[in-house]
Amino acid sequence: MDKTHLVDEITGHRRMRRNRKADWTRRLVQENRLTVDDLIWPIFIVPGTGIVDPIAAMPGVNRMSVDKAVEAVREAADLGIPAIATFPDIEMELRDETGSNSLVANNLINQATAAFKKAVPNIGIITDVALDPFTSHGHDGILRDGVIVNDETVDQIVRAAVMQADAGADIIAPSEMMDGRIGAIRRGLDAAGHQDVGIMSYATKFSSGFYGPYREAINTSGLLKGDKNSYYISPANGTEAVRDAALDVEEGADMLMVKPGIAYLDICWRIKEAFGLPVFAYQVSGEYTQIKAAAMNGWIDGERVMMETLLCFKRAGCDGILSYFAVEAAKKLAKNG
Ligand code: PBG
């Protein structure tokens, strides 16, 4: 070629586009892949039977009674989804200052666990021990004189964790960010003979506006007094988050979680690099809703953005993702695979 272009002097022989030129080269050099094994499906449980109740702020997501949830969980297992995470929306009459219903052995969440274990034994069950679904004030812990009291809350969630394990939970996922909870839960589980029950710590849970639709889903938004800034991490703080995760690792966490997801990919990367433990991101309700709402308006290609965000978690070092898209994404992966 005799014609010299201006760009030649800059690129020389370096041409990134050679590896991008065809579908086969792109497949060869692809660094990260999303598979169904990466997906954890969070679901909402309500009392009663035969209920599939759409959540307005989360188009496509329903609150389900245990019988209906069993069917949905079976479908998830058939798609190859490894695990679910369950959240209860209990009757208002059962919510009180201390979240005492969390200590009722056959409460809604434990009923659901037992039913899933029996009907769909091959799917993992992850349960949360935060008190917010059970308290009349919507906080994750016990509220005394305007303060969420740490140590008393930890005592209670340890007892709740043991009951959840008794009901068949495979992994306890404490999301309430109290200090010392991981070690306390580990000791409590071990003392009760639950050595095989794991702990996925919501190690870095940020005080985030992205939780809005979830609070509608479990009906805590109208209850919540104040904010959760005295126990969740500030979105401004990355080093503090890594330190918080370090304590959970020391105390015996088996897996770490970052929540929310997409706005916190730097944290995913940092804690994966720092500890090498399995790291999961929670693509939370507000993230789901943003994508759904924009897609419903025809402003973005929802399916494409769903798959893109899930893949980006993998690139950021995550071993898996909790996502309300899990079933939709699993179906798409099955179709393409
Ligand atoms: C509270 C809890 C939250 C979520 C799950 N458990 C946050 C909150 O309400 O403060 C959020 C999940 C989501 O937004 O999808 N323990």
Side-chain angles (χ1 to χ4, degrees):
M1 260 196 281
D2 46 11
K3 195 162 183 291
T4 307
H5 292 284
L6 289 174
V7 74
D8 286 349
E9 279 188 25
I10 301 161
T11 64
H13 63 282
R14 300 176 297 267
R15 294 210 174 243
M16 294 303 288
R17 291 184 56 192
R18 275 195 288 268
N19 288 345
R20 300 177 195 147
K21 72 178 177 187
D23 179 62
W24 67 265
T25 51
R26 291 191 290 268
R27 280 188 284 127
L28 270 180
V29 302
Q30 181 162 338
E31 297 174 30
N32 295 286
R33 283 194 167 72
L34 179 75
T35 78
V36 70
D37 297 330
D38 300 317
L39 300 170
I40 297 172
W41 189 35
I43 59 171
F44 298 106
I45 313 290
V46 285
T49 51
I51 300 170
V52 178
D53 180 23
I55 299 160
M58 301 178 73
V61 177
N62 303 305
R63 300 176 193 87
M64 293 174 283
S65 51
V66 173
D67 57 326
K68 288 291 176 184
V70 165
E71 292 170 22
V73 170
R74 189 176 290 123
E75 188 199 6
D78 290 346
L79 283 163
I81 292 174
I84 55 166
T86 56
F87 298 97
D89 174 24
I90 70 167
E91 295 95 328
M92 282 298 156
E93 309 86 77
L94 294 179
R95 303 187 195 197
D96 59 25
E97 281 284 306
T98 61
S100 62
N101 186 257
S102 67
L103 297 177
V104 173
N106 71 337
N107 66 10
L108 182 60
I109 206 63
N110 293 337
Q111 280 176 35
T113 299
F116 300 151
K117 263 291 145 208
K118 192 156 164 240
V120 196
N122 58 337
I123 201 162
I125 301 175
I126 302 172
T127 53
D128 191 355
V129 281
L131 300 181
D132 58 302
F134 307 100
T135 55
S136 50
H137 42 73
H139 278 291
D140 294 18
I142 298 170
L143 182 64
R144 297 228 185 273
D145 302 324
V147 175
I148 303 300
V149 289
N150 193 91
D151 300 9
E152 203 181 327
T153 300
V154 171
D155 288 347
Q156 181 163 330
I157 64 171
V158 169
R159 290 163 66 204
V162 170
M163 286 175 168
Q164 291 180 355
D166 289 343
D170 299 290
I171 295 179
I172 305 296
S175 80
E176 76 321 304
M177 292 298 283
M178 295 300 116
D179 287 321
R181 72 211 201 282
I182 301 298
I185 292 172
R186 184 69 271 156
R187 282 192 296 278
L189 289 172
D190 288 352
H194 290 301
Q195 280 80 6
D196 291 338
V197 172
I199 302 177
M200 177 188 283
S201 173
Y202 283 68
T204 67
K205 182 168 184 180
F206 291 87
S207 194
S208 171
F210 284 105
Y211 306 143
Y214 164 93
R215 294 183 188 171
E216 181 190 311
I218 66 157
N219 281 297
T220 57
S221 45
L223 302 177
L224 188 63
K225 294 189 187 77
D227 56 43
K228 302 191 178 184
N229 293 346
S230 77
Y231 46 107
Y232 291 178
I233 305 170
S234 162
N237 295 355
T239 301
E240 179 186 331
V242 175
R243 182 152 175 257
D244 210 320
L247 296 176
D248 291 359
V249 174
E250 248 174 60
E251 290 175 33
D254 300 289
M255 302 169 172
L256 301 170
M257 192 204 295
V258 175
K259 178 182 181 183
I262 279 293
Y264 298 84
L265 292 183
D266 56 323
I267 309 295
C268 297
W269 182 259
R270 285 175 73 171
I271 70 171
K272 183 67 194 180
E273 291 279 292
F275 309 112
L277 255 68
V279 171
F280 294 82
Y282 196 146
Q283 182 174 46
V284 298
S285 58
E287 300 179 67
Y288 172 88
T289 295
Q290 279 187 316
I291 295 171
K292 277 287 168 189
M296 284 163 73
N297 277 296
W299 294 333
I300 59 170
D301 176 343
E303 205 172 69
R304 179 175 175 178
V305 174
M306 163 181 81
M307 297 308 277
E308 180 179 335
T309 52
L310 292 170
L311 180 61
C312 289
F313 288 115
K314 297 286 294 180
R315 194 201 63 237
C318 293
D319 296 270
I321 308 105
L322 292 94
S323 174
Y324 301 99
F325 286 120
V327 167
E328 206 179 326
K331 284 182 183 161
K332 189 164 164 59
L333 288 166
K335 206 167 66 196
N336 297 354

